[in-house]
Amino acid sequence: MVNSTDLLANLYNAFNPFEPLPAGDPKYVDCQDVRGDADILQELGNRMQLANTNTCQLYSGHRGAGKSTELLRLKKYLENRKFYVVYFAADEEDIDSEDAQYTDILLACTRRLLKDLKEIASPDPILNWLKSRWEDLKDLAQTPIEFESLGVEAKLAQFAKLTANLRAVPELRQKIRQKIDPYTVTLIQVLNEFLADAKKNLPTGKTQLAVIVDNLDRMVLVKEGERTNYEEVFLDRSEQLQALDCHLIYTVPISMVYSTRATDLRDIYGDPQILPMIMVNTLKGEVYQPGLKKVKEVINKRVRQIAPELSLEKEIFDSPQTLERLCLMSGGHVRNLLLLTQDAIGRTEELPVSEKAVRRAITQARDTFRRAVENHQWCLLAEVSSSKRIINDDLYRSLMYNRSLLEYRYLDDDGEMQRWYDIHPLIQGIPEFKEAVVKLS
């Protein structure tokens, strides 16, 4: 018999909000019909299959909405259709989301492709390129080693050390960029030689190569003069971003998709695909039962893995109302749902999770949102809560980026996709927001 402490610990860890689900995970819930029919397999995967040339597509959505889980599903889908797929989260080992530029992304792609494809392709073109730059770079890799004396694995390790310093050592970051930046075109050339060799030697049954670069949507907006790092990466360097000789998917910050440069993005990449929230309320503010049911299912599937015999609405939570309140307060945002649930479990010493524990978790999260909103933004939030629309303006984009504003979609009676926006439900109880609503009326 599992004692209550072990059970609570297992439940607590089942709601880890920062681990995307691998493809085929039994905890996965298909929410396509309550996300306005958003389907990554059709919208991105099918295009890659149909195209007779390389594709380069952008994928976006709120942080924590479930993009990584969907991209891992896409990876599996493509692998079942003769694709060899290299997937990596750029901010795990290579780039610093607080300070990211195009050169960092190119180096990250190079390191990861070397790591994943070195068994089927010769790394010589890239290593020869690195050798020709080594006198300039060895100090930045913080190594006295002479490149000529190294074996292939050791040379690859030196390249990895360079990208690790790019992420971990801020004072070296700009110096590395300055040394690499004039040679990005030649780096892409040798990288494409490497990719061409890899494509000739793909494992049996694989005919195409795809690279998925995740977590670039976490890049923090940095403005230098009139330009931003978003524009530098996705617009100014778009030709280089698309130049790798394989199918490409990059995640892009949602505030870039809603910027005045949205049409430029579309002209270059086609329409970026956006993963909206699970719709838990209607435009009129009524509970949307199909969406609420899906959000409950997200919780239920995780609970079932740990305690299949316990009733979700009586033995895990103290009442259906407690569970429903938790679900609605997530706004249909998956990571917020997992965070709220984990926090409520963390305030529980004995099941069921009480209404008080859920209320405390909601209060704690609400306070975080209160701190994230600047004083002049409360009136904007009040306006959106009334109109369900946003204006194409930097002020609104920053509220999208920090998830104070959420996007929903649904199909209307004619099968047309309708898009609308609302404040995060946690904001409704904040005094400053209530005051702004009163002023608006």
Side-chain angles (χ1 to χ4, degrees), residues 103 107 126-145 147 158-159 161-163 165-166 172-183 187:
T103 305
L107 287 171
I126 298 168
L127 294 179
N128 289 336
W129 178 91
L130 188 59
K131 183 176 111 181
S132 66
R133 309 268 87 76
W134 192 245
E135 277 308 307
D136 280 348
L137 293 173
K138 68 179 180 183
D139 290 344
L140 303 177
Q142 295 186 316
T143 178
I145 297 170
F147 202 71
Q158 290 306 311
F159 193 93
K161 196 170 180 186
L162 192 69
T163 64
N165 285 349
L166 189 72
L172 290 180
R173 192 174 299 143
Q174 200 53 39
K175 292 177 183 174
I176 293 171
R177 287 171 183 157
Q178 285 167 354
K179 297 289 187 186
I180 298 287
D181 208 40
Y183 303 102
L187 177 54

Side-chain angles (χ1 to χ4, degrees), residues 98 129 218 234 279 294 319 424:
E98 299 289 323
W129 178 91
R218 298 182 180 182
F234 293 102
M279 198 167 100
K294 286 288 187 185
S319 73
H424 196 295

